[in-house]
């Protein structure tokens, strides 16, 4: 049986924008023991519009939406540091940002390389509490960067294998105090 109700269609105009869930992570905040679910959304052009970070605090049923940095999150580009802050490294373009789940503050730390394209692939916290970022390098050899939250210093450690001339990624890192 077909309905006799008439449906009226309305033209609401062009779609303004769309966002896409890019990555997500769940963690326990070391300073508050509260459980968070973080969702990263990319909005249209990743070179023009920053990542949106949607932080859902599952322990107290609150949430917040903040703008991050340009690019999209690296495949394994997020790390929870012992200081309680989240560090997110992005690709295309490559940046490193800091997110404080207690205050909701976001801070852009650095571009992964001042002039060349470097895309974050992996982030880890080393035994020295520095954050190490394994990077895609389209010029070859992969690359590595580090950030020291204690001194607020970002260092481009450089290309991992200068003799390798094809694009290369650095996905696996094990950092210790030798670097």
């Amino acid at each position: 049986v077909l309905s006799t109700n008439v449906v009226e269609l309305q033209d609401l105009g062009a779609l303004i924008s769309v966002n896409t869930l890019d990555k997500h992570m769940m963690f326990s905040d070391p300073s508050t023991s509260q459980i968070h679910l973080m969702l990263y959304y990319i909005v249209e052009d990743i070179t023009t519009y920053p990542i949106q970070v949607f932080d859902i605090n599952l322990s107290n049923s609150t949430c917040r939406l903040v703008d991050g940095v340009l690019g999209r999150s690296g495949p394994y580009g997020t790390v929870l540091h012992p200081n309680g802050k989240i560090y997110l490294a992005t690709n295309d373009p490559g940046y490193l940002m800091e997110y404080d789940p207690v205050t909701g503050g976001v801070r852009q730390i650095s571009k992964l390389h001042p002039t060349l394209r470097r895309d974050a692939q992996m982030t880890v916290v080393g035994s020295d509490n520095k954050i190490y970022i394994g990077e895609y390098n389209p010029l070859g050899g992969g690359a590595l960067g580090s950030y020291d939250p204690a001194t607020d210093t970002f260092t481009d450690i450089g290309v991992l294998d200068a003799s390798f001339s094809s694009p290369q990624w650095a996905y696996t890192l094990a950092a210790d105090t030798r670097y």
Side-chain angles (χ1 to χ4, degrees):
V1 177
L2 295 174
S3 172
T4 57
N5 294 335
V6 176
V7 176
E8 182 181 336
L9 297 177
Q10 293 179 347
D11 181 0
L12 299 176
L15 182 65
I16 296 172
S17 68
V18 64
N19 61 10
T20 304
L21 178 61
D22 190 40
K23 300 281 186 295
H24 62 277
M25 73 173 286
M26 186 176 278
F27 66 95
S28 175
D29 185 327
S31 65
T32 64
S33 298
Q34 295 179 343
I35 306 297
H36 291 254
L37 172 63
M38 286 186 52
L39 308 172
Y40 303 136
Y41 287 91
I42 53 175
V43 182
E44 291 185 26
D45 180 4
I46 60 175
T47 62
T48 305
Y49 301 104
I51 289 174
Q52 292 183 322
V53 178
F54 189 45
D55 178 9
I56 305 165
N57 184 322
L58 300 172
S59 298
N60 68 14
S61 300
T62 60
C63 62
R64 69 168 56 104
L65 179 66
V66 295
D67 285 338
V69 292
L70 295 178
R72 62 186 315 154
S73 58
Y76 306 101
T78 302
V79 67
L80 173 61
H81 193 272
N83 68 10
K85 295 181 180 167
I86 303 291
Y87 293 89
L88 168 64
T90 65
N91 57 46
D92 196 23
Y95 285 93
L96 178 65
M97 70 167 253
E98 174 185 84
Y99 173 70
D100 186 338
V102 174
T103 66
V106 174
R107 184 171 70 94
Q108 178 180 307
I109 293 168
S110 180
K111 195 164 191 226
L112 297 181
H113 190 279
T115 60
L116 300 174
R117 177 179 171 188
R118 297 277 176 82
D119 295 344
Q121 301 299 309
M122 169 68 106
T123 56
V124 297
V125 177
S127 61
D128 56 1
N129 277 336
K130 290 181 183 177
I131 297 161
Y132 291 88
I133 302 118
E135 303 164 354
Y136 166 76
N137 178 8
L139 300 177
L144 185 64
S146 73
Y147 173 67
D148 186 349
T151 62
D152 194 28
T153 305
F154 181 84
T155 303
D156 175 31
I157 295 172
V159 174
L160 299 175
D161 182 2
S163 66
F164 195 85
S165 61
S166 296
Q168 193 171 34
W169 294 261
Y171 272 110
T172 304
L173 296 175
D176 61 27
T177 56
R178 293 179 293 173
Y179 300 100

